[in-house]
Amino acid sequence: MALPRGERQNSQKHLAGFLGRSLCIETQRVLSTDPKPKFEPLEHSVYCGRQRLGRYSQTGKKSYAAFDARDRFLGQFKSRRAAYAAVGQSARGAQ
């Protein structure tokens, strides 16, 4: 059943007055004081079947370190692909 036009407007005015006097919703903005890391550390182990060949890890934004299966340092590399290749080459040389 529809209300007469005057009553509908009065109820809306009443609601507007009620909402205007109610408590405000507070928003809180949380700012982190820690700067975002320049790179996310990355570490991968390299396997051939069940045999662990070695691992490589990211040491900087564009630098990677490679290690053989006995965790001996193989060198620093500028790309992940080069570090991966070094692990593979050391495994082939060890066989």
Side-chain angles (χ1 to χ4, degrees):
M1 184 169 152
L3 295 173
R5 186 175 186 141
E7 288 184 32
R8 190 176 306 154
Q9 288 177 350
N10 288 340
S11 66
Q12 288 175 351
K13 286 180 185 176
H14 173 68
L15 258 175
F18 177 73
L19 291 175
R21 287 177 288 186
S22 67
L23 297 173
C24 295
I25 298 173
E26 291 185 26
T27 59
Q28 184 177 14
R29 187 173 177 187
V30 179
L31 296 175
S32 175
T33 57
D34 298 334
K36 289 186 177 182
K38 294 183 180 180
F39 71 94
E40 291 291 325
L42 172 77
E43 187 163 328
H44 283 276
S45 293
V46 180
Y47 286 87
C48 180
R50 291 185 177 183
Q51 182 182 5
R52 182 173 181 263
L53 304 178
R55 66 182 175 91
Y56 62 91
S57 58
Q58 187 173 11
T59 57
K61 189 173 180 179
K62 290 187 178 182
S63 65
Y64 297 85
F67 301 88
D68 68 359
R70 294 183 182 147
D71 280 338
R72 290 182 292 195
F73 182 70
L74 298 175
Q76 285 286 122
F77 301 92
K78 292 183 180 179
S79 71
R80 185 167 38 169
R81 179 178 287 187
Y84 179 81
V87 172
Q89 288 174 356
S90 87
R92 276 180 282 203
Q95 290 179 356

